[in-house]
Amino acid sequence: MTSDGTTPRDLTTHDAAEAPAVTDERADLLAMLAKHRHFLRFTTRDLTDEQAGLRTTASELCLGGLIKHVTSVERKWGDFILDGPSAMGDFTAMTEADWARRADEFRMLPGETLAGVLADYAEVARRTDDLVATVPDLGATQPLPKAPWFEDTHWSARRVLMHVVAETAQHAGHADIIRESLDGAKSMG
């Protein structure tokens, strides 16, 4: 239940059963992404908006902020598959204000709700699932945007999608620790 008395959208919304019908590696990518999305969303079950915004560890991270971040990452990488590096910008040219805006991805801001964050994530998930099912060639590459953390020069759509799976899984683990620190609830075990 959220602070406004409403119930957040069903946390299992848009799992593998709702993904477009595909086979082979596309089905594997979608299944892995659905699994890790589920665990990430599951960490927010039965929380209020206030609880979703609480920092419970030494980290700056909160549950709502993690979902916002994963949503943004998944959206931007989907744009990258379609439009190349211009979809992400030049990270080497970011200003302090740009970095501050990016840091807001990791926090619940005033006026944001858990239900709203989860709905945005579900919308991006549907878009990504459709992209996985319809992109003509998973091997098609794009040059990476300028960023100090990229050692490679090009990534294929396949590599981008594997990165999104890894990012989602990593942050689902972070979310599990944050939730356990909040009220003892665990995603597994």
Side-chain angles (χ1 to χ4, degrees):
M1 174 113 8
T2 62
S3 60
D4 66 357
T6 61
T7 303
R9 193 178 162 133
D10 177 13
L11 298 178
T12 61
T13 298
H14 202 69
D15 284 338
E18 292 184 32
V22 295
T23 58
D24 64 40
E25 73 177 308
R26 293 172 193 257
D28 291 341
L29 286 166
L30 289 171
M32 288 303 296
L33 193 49
K35 174 184 175 181
H36 295 298
R37 284 178 184 144
H38 166 76
F39 283 122
L40 179 59
R41 288 188 312 262
F42 189 65
T43 63
T44 67
R45 69 196 178 283
D46 303 322
L47 293 182
T48 65
D49 295 338
E50 180 183 6
Q51 289 171 312
L54 290 176
R55 291 178 44 210
T56 62
T57 65
S59 168
E60 292 285 328
L61 302 174
C62 67
L63 293 171
L66 274 175
I67 293 172
K68 282 176 55 180
H69 171 68
V70 171
T71 300
S72 176
V73 165
E74 190 169 320
R75 179 184 293 118
K76 287 177 184 172
W77 280 113
D79 291 344
F80 172 84
I81 289 171
L82 296 170
D83 301 322
S86 65
M88 298 180 88
D90 179 349
F91 291 98
T92 63
M94 287 178 64
T95 66
E96 283 186 42
D98 295 329
W99 287 110
R101 277 190 296 281
R102 184 176 169 143
D104 284 344
E105 287 181 4
F106 293 93
R107 296 187 263 280
M108 291 283 289
L109 301 176
E112 291 180 331
T113 65
L114 179 56
V117 168
L118 289 169
D120 193 30
Y121 189 37
E123 179 182 322
V124 168
R126 279 189 294 278
R127 177 182 177 244
T128 301
D129 289 354
D130 290 341
L131 182 61
V132 171
T134 61
V135 69
D137 180 7
L138 291 176
T141 63
Q142 297 274 16
L144 288 168
K146 289 184 182 179
W149 50 81
F150 288 133
E151 294 177 12
D152 300 326
T153 59
H154 290 74
W155 275 8
S156 67
R158 178 182 297 103
R159 175 79 183 266
V160 167
L161 294 166
M162 290 188 313
H163 176 74
V164 170
V165 169
E167 180 99 3
T168 305
Q170 178 180 14
H171 288 313
H174 294 146
D176 195 35
I177 292 167
I178 292 168
R179 178 62 191 261
E180 187 174 2
S181 298
L182 177 66
D183 64 4
K186 299 177 187 178
S187 297
M188 298 177 72

